Amino acid sequence: MTVADVKTDDLYPTRVGTEPALIKREDPVAWPGVDSGPIDADTLRSYDDKGFLTVEGLLTPAEVQKFWQELTRLSSDPEVKADERTVVEKSSNEVRSIFEVHKISEEIGRLATDPRVLDRARQILGSDVYVHQSRVNYMPGFKGRGFYWHSDFETWHAEDGMPRMRAVSISIALTDNYPFNGGLMLMPGAHRTFVSCVGATPDDHYKESLKEQEIGVPDQDSISKLAAEHGIEQFTGPAGSALMFDSNSMHGSGSNITPFPRSNIFIVFNSVDNTPVEPFAAPQPRPPFVANRSDFTPLSR
Ligand code: 6CS
Ligand code: FE
């Protein structure tokens, strides 16, 4: 990595070098600033340590049913299917994800300001927060393709211009998450290492990366090192449970060949003190439906 390629204010240079690199995280994980909330002290410490936490029964069965019906309505609406914010599976043309879903669906939008969700995000990020990105993932049965190992922050930094690791994602399961139907895998503690990737970002990269990411993907040697040091845990649990994970968690999921879909609602909260600047390693920013670059109004209950 030559010095010329790295922006002076870039703590996490990526996609600019010729060799991968492991860079020590400079940012806190659980940020100071919001002293109370639904997360107890032990759980917050564990989040800081592992980079993720789970919430059993975040949604009631009745709410799961309501959101499952909403997901079914969205995926069968031809207008939604034709929308540029909808990504279909490479192999089956079935709906894979719908982005900016908190704006498309009022029901799902209300989740972003639900105290059970919002207060947890504020507590972790230690500040007011806004939605950086939202999506529903369908991971349909039989043909649902997984997501190879990656750090979300690597993409949000390189392509969306997110300066620091001060964002948190919540993945709310609307179907039962089993080990065998593509449950998300994470490396506990790997969030304290930034894996700098090799390979320049192509123009309009998101059109490919949201189907199958190839640039900004960590090299096998780095993944092996992190897996050896931290191990791998898998998020499983009944519909209604939720996973909250740090923007730099190393995570991935296998494909789903079982008849059981693994569908979730995914909302990314960013601190209002961490709003995007110019991309750190991409020719142009990604479109607003993938990365909010204009509305940083603090969310309130
Ligand atoms: O590129 C992104 O922003 C999305 N890609 C993945 C695989 N996870 C995070 C995020 O939704
Ligand atoms: Fe991800």
Side-chain angles (χ1 to χ4, degrees):
M1 190 180 307
T2 55
V3 175
D5 292 334
V6 178
K7 291 183 179 176
T8 47
D9 60 348
D10 188 356
L11 291 175
Y12 305 110
T14 187
R15 307 189 197 180
V16 288
T18 52
E19 292 296 322
L22 297 181
I23 298 172
K24 188 176 168 305
R25 178 187 188 120
E26 298 285 327
D27 292 308
V29 179
W31 287 69
V34 174
D35 299 334
S36 65
I39 308 174
D40 63 61
D42 285 348
T43 306
L44 201 56
R45 246 189 311 278
S46 168
Y47 177 88
D48 195 73
D49 194 31
K50 292 172 66 171
F52 55 89
L53 65 82
T54 57
V55 185
E56 279 275 331
L58 180 80
L59 298 184
T60 65
E63 288 176 311
V64 169
Q65 183 61 20
K66 177 181 71 174
F67 285 114
W68 177 250
Q69 281 162 1
E70 181 65 351
L71 249 69
T72 308
R73 180 186 74 78
L74 289 171
S75 66
S76 42
D77 179 341
E79 256 184 57
V80 170
K81 191 142 182 191
D83 192 307
E84 64 168 346
R85 293 171 290 187
T86 299
V87 179
V88 293
E89 290 284 353
K90 252 181 176 170
S91 61
S92 63
N93 208 33
E94 274 189 82
V95 175
R96 173 174 172 80
S97 304
I98 302 172
F99 280 86
E100 214 170 44
V101 71
H102 70 294
K103 288 188 176 172
I104 296 174
S105 158
E106 258 182 60
E107 285 284 16
I108 295 175
R110 273 194 284 277
L111 265 182
T113 54
D114 183 307
R116 295 168 290 180
V117 174
L118 178 59
D119 293 355
R120 285 184 162 87
R122 286 171 42 77
Q123 204 177 345
I124 288 171
L125 300 181
S127 72
D128 278 331
V129 300
Y130 70 95
V131 174
H132 171 70
Q133 178 187 103
S134 74
R135 64 195 282 185
V136 284
N137 291 316
Y138 282 80
M139 182 72 86
F142 299 110
K143 290 199 167 52
R145 287 181 63 77
F147 295 92
Y148 190 70
W149 290 108
H150 65 282
S151 151
D152 295 342
F153 176 76
E154 193 280 340
T155 293
W156 298 341
H157 186 67
E159 300 191 53
D160 303 340
M162 184 184 282
R164 307 293 288 263
M165 297 174 179
R166 195 170 183 179
V168 61
S169 301
I170 186 165
S171 172
I172 304 172
L174 293 184
T175 56
D176 294 340
N177 278 237
Y178 303 106
F180 46 69
N181 71 333
L184 200 66
M185 297 177 287
L186 306 104
M187 297 185 191
H191 63 303
R192 291 193 180 280
T193 301
F194 178 74
V195 180
S196 177
C197 299
V198 174
T201 309
D203 273 334
D204 290 339
H205 180 225
Y206 73 97
K207 289 181 179 164
E208 284 315 308
S209 69
L210 298 181
K211 282 182 189 262
E212 189 170 17
Q213 188 173 358
E214 288 174 7
I215 298 290
V217 168
D219 62 291
Q220 290 185 359
D221 190 37
S222 299
I223 293 170
S224 304
K225 277 190 193 127
L226 291 175
E229 185 179 348
H230 301 289
I232 296 174
E233 288 186 21
Q234 188 167 40
F235 170 53
T236 57
S241 34
L243 167 79
M244 292 188 85
F245 57 104
D246 177 79
S247 60
N248 189 46
S249 290
M250 187 56 72
H251 64 287
S253 58
S255 293
N256 181 14
I257 59 168
T258 74
F260 313 114
R262 183 186 64 93
S263 304
N264 63 14
I265 294 171
F266 178 84
I267 304 173
V268 182
F269 294 94
N270 189 27
S271 167
V272 292
D273 300 326
N274 189 40
T275 50
V277 295
E278 280 312 297
F280 285 85
Q284 68 278 114
R286 299 197 295 173
F289 69 84
V290 181
N292 171 19
R293 308 183 61 75
S294 58
D295 178 8
F296 307 134
T297 315
L299 291 174
S300 56
R301 328 153 121 206

